[in-house]
């Protein structure tokens, strides 16, 4: 490698979480570090400019898209360390062709995201946002509510987050059905959807899971069922979701992820009473931020020492 073999860039620290952190200080011990805290990394050319001749990119935000064009413009790039589990913003096949190692931080946010998924389930079942809003307007609402105990939950995705959701749900007295993209069949998926009172998504977004829940799947679900998505927005077909919610095909949806982030003013989801929305912040806790950023830098340390860990395969 060149003299830049240990140079590190953080091209997308907006809103800033990395600069000045313990992970930032630890990265400085490895080599020269550049941190970009202004918006702009969502632009492909700007992302490539920010990476420049760095050997390592620490990816903070999913809006930064590491495409083959970016790799072509940055021939010195040898490694990408992602803060988080999702890798859909990286062209893994192109990275593999160009010899770029991609690592993530699996499991770091599992407890926080699992708790958020359960919180969305409770908010939907107990109608908490609507009741709070009506009480602040002077009302004393007496809606009939739902309970989790005795209900069936279908967990799609058997990684660390899905496993933790299943564990918490059993603590509420729920029957849990688990489905894995690697091990289970399409028929098993359909059976889970038919039986579930709550459906929660914790799958990786890959071509095979894009639109995992669409019109066909909504038609299989119970009219009183709730959908929770803390994975990625495109796991669910947007038009089918809007139709299912507006038409009462399902009872409601708790969403932390969306096709467009942030949501634009006037987005139809904002006007639906049977949704509970949060701004892709399920994993935003001090513990996750600290541990995840440190894990991302540990990935860099291990790569530079010749023994990479948490390597993501195409």
């Amino acid at each position: 490698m060149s003299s830049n073999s240990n140079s590190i860039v953080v091209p997308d620290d907006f809103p800033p979480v990395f600069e000045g952190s313990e992970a930032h200080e630890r990265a400085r011990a490895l080599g020269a570090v550049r941190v970009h805290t202004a918006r702009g990394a969502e632009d492909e050319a700007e992302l490539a400019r920010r990476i420049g001749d760095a050997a390592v990119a620490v990816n903070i935000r999913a809006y930064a898209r590491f495409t083959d064009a970016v790799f072509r413009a940055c021939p010195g790039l040898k490694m990408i360390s992602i803060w988080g589990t999702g890798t859909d913003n990286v062209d893994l096949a192109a990275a593999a062709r160009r010899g770029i190692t991609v690592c993530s931080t699996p499991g770091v946010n599992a407890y926080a995201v699992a708790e958020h998924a359960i919180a969305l389930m409770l908010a939907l079942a107990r109608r908490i946002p609507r009741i709070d809003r009506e009480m602040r307007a002077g009302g004393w609402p007496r809606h009939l509510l739902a309970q989790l105990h005795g209900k069936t939950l279908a967990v799609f995705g058997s990684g660390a987050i899905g496993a933790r959701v299943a564990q918490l749900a059993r603590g509420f007295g729920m029957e849990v059905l688990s489905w894995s993209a690697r091990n289970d069949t399409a028929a098993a998926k359909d059976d889970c959807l038919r039986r579930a009172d709550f459906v929660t998504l914790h799958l990786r977004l890959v071509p095979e899971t894009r639109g995992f829940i669409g019109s066909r799947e909504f038609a299989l679900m119970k009219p009183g069922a709730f959908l929770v998505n803390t994975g990625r927005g495109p796991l669910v077909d947007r038009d089918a979701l809007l139709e299912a919610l507006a038409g009462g095909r399902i009872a409601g949806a708790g969403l932390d992820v969306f096709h467009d982030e942030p949501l634009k003013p006037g987005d139809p989801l904002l006007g639906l009473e049977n949704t509970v929305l949060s701004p892709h912040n399920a994993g935003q806790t001090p513990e996750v931020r600290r541990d995840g950023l440190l894990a991302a830098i540990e990935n860099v340390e291990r790569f530079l020492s010749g023994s990479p860990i948490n390597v993501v395969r195409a």
Side-chain angles (χ1 to χ4, degrees):
M1 291 187 185
S2 70
S3 60
N4 290 313
S5 61
N6 283 16
S7 60
I8 300 167
V9 63
V10 183
D12 53 358
D13 189 24
F14 176 86
V17 294
F18 183 85
E19 188 173 50
S21 67
E22 183 181 348
H24 190 180
E25 291 304 311
R26 190 158 151 184
R28 284 182 170 134
L30 301 174
V33 181
R34 301 194 313 272
V35 183
H36 295 266
T37 58
R39 192 167 195 128
E42 61 270 28
D43 179 77
E44 190 176 77
E46 175 62 13
L47 177 61
R49 187 194 70 78
R50 291 181 180 190
I51 295 171
D53 62 353
V56 174
V58 178
N59 171 218
I60 303 296
R61 304 297 180 184
Y63 60 67
R65 314 292 296 183
F66 290 78
T67 64
D68 190 55
V70 171
F71 298 150
R72 190 185 318 118
C74 304
L77 186 63
K78 302 300 179 186
M79 190 255 190
I80 301 169
S81 182
I82 300 170
W83 176 42
T85 303
T87 59
D88 50 289
N89 63 316
V90 179
D91 187 333
L92 295 175
R97 287 195 305 272
R98 295 182 180 275
I100 299 171
T101 300
V102 179
C103 301
S104 64
T105 57
V108 171
N109 66 350
Y111 276 45
V113 176
E115 288 176 12
H116 199 87
I118 295 292
L120 288 173
M121 289 167 56
L122 287 167
L124 287 164
R126 313 303 291 190
R127 300 191 178 191
I128 292 172
R130 180 175 178 178
I131 290 172
D132 177 79
R133 187 166 58 249
E134 291 177 359
M135 288 191 67
R136 291 175 189 276
W140 190 256
R142 307 298 292 169
H143 300 293
L144 189 64
L145 310 177
Q147 64 183 42
L148 302 191
H149 185 272
K151 300 300 193 300
T152 298
L153 171 66
V155 179
F156 288 94
S158 57
I161 297 172
R164 179 60 176 169
V165 168
Q167 183 183 35
L168 293 174
R170 291 189 183 99
F172 280 93
M174 303 184 79
E175 178 187 3
V176 177
L177 311 174
S178 295
W179 189 91
S180 164
R182 184 172 299 174
N183 300 318
D184 292 310
T185 65
K189 171 186 171 181
D190 291 354
D191 181 62
C192 288
L193 289 169
R194 289 190 187 98
R195 295 170 58 188
D197 300 295
F198 293 83
V199 171
T200 183
L201 303 179
H202 307 286
L203 298 161
R204 281 181 62 192
L205 180 61
V206 294
E208 294 76 20
T209 59
R210 187 174 291 272
F212 182 79
I213 302 292
S215 296
R216 176 186 171 278
E217 287 73 22
F218 283 122
L220 294 174
M221 293 171 63
K222 298 176 182 179
F226 296 99
L227 173 71
V228 171
N229 187 8
T230 59
R232 285 290 188 266
L235 291 172
V236 182
D237 181 275
R238 176 179 165 80
D239 291 339
L241 173 64
L242 290 171
E243 183 179 345
L245 289 169
R249 178 78 277 281
I250 62 172
L255 308 172
D256 185 57
V257 289
F258 307 90
H259 287 72
D260 295 315
E261 296 184 5
L263 282 178
K264 295 179 176 60
D267 189 291
L269 286 170
L270 298 172
L272 293 172
E273 282 284 349
N274 55 350
T275 60
V276 177
L277 311 176
S278 58
H280 201 156
N281 68 341
Q284 292 296 314
T285 69
E287 296 87 351
V288 169
R289 180 178 295 184
R290 178 198 64 219
D291 296 345
L293 292 174
L294 286 171
I297 297 305
E298 183 182 0
N299 285 343
V300 177
E301 292 169 343
R302 295 290 294 269
F303 172 78
L304 294 176
S305 70
S307 54
I309 57 173
N310 298 319
V311 177
V312 181
R313 307 297 178 186

